[in-house]
Amino acid sequence: MGTISKDFSYKEFEVTDQPGFKFKNMIASMEVRDSVKALVNNLLQPLRDAWTKPLHINSGYRCHELNQAIHGTATSQHLKGEAADVCPYGNRNTAGDPDVVLQLAQLAYDMKLPFDQMILYPTFVHFSHKINGKQRGQVLYSKNYKGERVK
């Protein structure tokens, strides 16, 4: 499908490195494509511009088979292309630093970016953006996140 913005492509949202995963995780509808584009244009690209360093998409769009394989919820916004797990290190294999995760989340919060949910994990931040409907602006924390809170 190509480029979404100067720093993001659709391919990044289809990549999966789940061991043994045999299905193609491809964006197969215009609705999902449009949702990914809205997520990038309204949230991720403005955040990337302000962050000034690379951001890595750990998980973007998920087909149903992938979502089941990783035990994702049946209502996951990843299924609609409305969510991405973003690593602030530019590389998913870099050891996590909760301070850097917090800095990225705090920046998104301070910029008043339109997110539906922002969930902090030890090594990444989950961002979601609804293509239709009001953004809830929820800031949540995974049970494994032990860092400081967004203020």
Side-chain angles (χ1 to χ4, degrees):
M1 274 191 210
T3 302
I4 305 169
S5 70
K6 67 179 183 171
D7 292 306
F8 295 99
S9 71
Y10 286 103
K11 185 174 182 176
E12 292 176 85
F13 287 82
E14 296 174 326
V15 172
T16 180
D17 62 357
Q18 292 299 311
F21 184 70
K22 307 248 187 288
F23 303 97
K24 290 193 178 208
N25 186 52
M26 295 184 64
I27 296 169
S29 76
M30 295 300 280
E31 183 179 7
V32 170
R33 187 208 63 172
D34 291 347
S35 293
V36 170
K37 185 174 180 148
L39 171 66
V40 168
N41 289 339
N42 292 299
L43 180 56
L44 299 182
Q45 187 61 56
L47 181 60
R48 168 61 178 86
D49 290 342
W51 186 247
T52 71
K53 295 176 278 237
L55 296 173
H56 183 83
I57 305 299
N58 287 349
S59 180
Y61 167 71
R62 293 182 195 153
C63 66
H64 289 284
E65 294 87 356
L66 174 58
N67 197 57
Q68 287 178 334
I70 64 167
H71 308 309
T73 66
T75 58
S76 172
Q77 287 178 282
H78 287 277
L79 292 164
K80 300 177 195 175
E82 294 182 342
D85 298 337
V86 180
C87 177
Y89 315 106
N91 182 335
R92 77 178 80 197
N93 298 318
T94 303
D97 180 348
D99 291 338
V100 178
V101 168
L102 176 65
Q103 289 169 17
L104 182 66
Q106 189 68 56
L107 179 61
Y109 186 82
D110 291 346
M111 291 176 67
K112 298 179 177 32
L113 290 174
F115 59 85
D116 187 48
Q117 289 185 324
M118 177 170 62
I119 307 172
L120 285 76
Y121 289 81
T123 60
F124 65 90
V125 182
H126 166 97
F127 290 103
S128 67
H129 177 274
K130 293 180 184 179
I131 192 166
N132 296 313
K134 184 178 178 193
Q135 310 301 328
R136 294 176 285 180
Q138 292 180 326
V139 179
L140 305 168
Y141 304 89
S142 79
K143 63 183 176 188
N144 298 328
Y145 179 79
K146 306 296 184 210
E148 296 292 320
R149 303 293 201 219
V150 172
K151 298 175 185 149

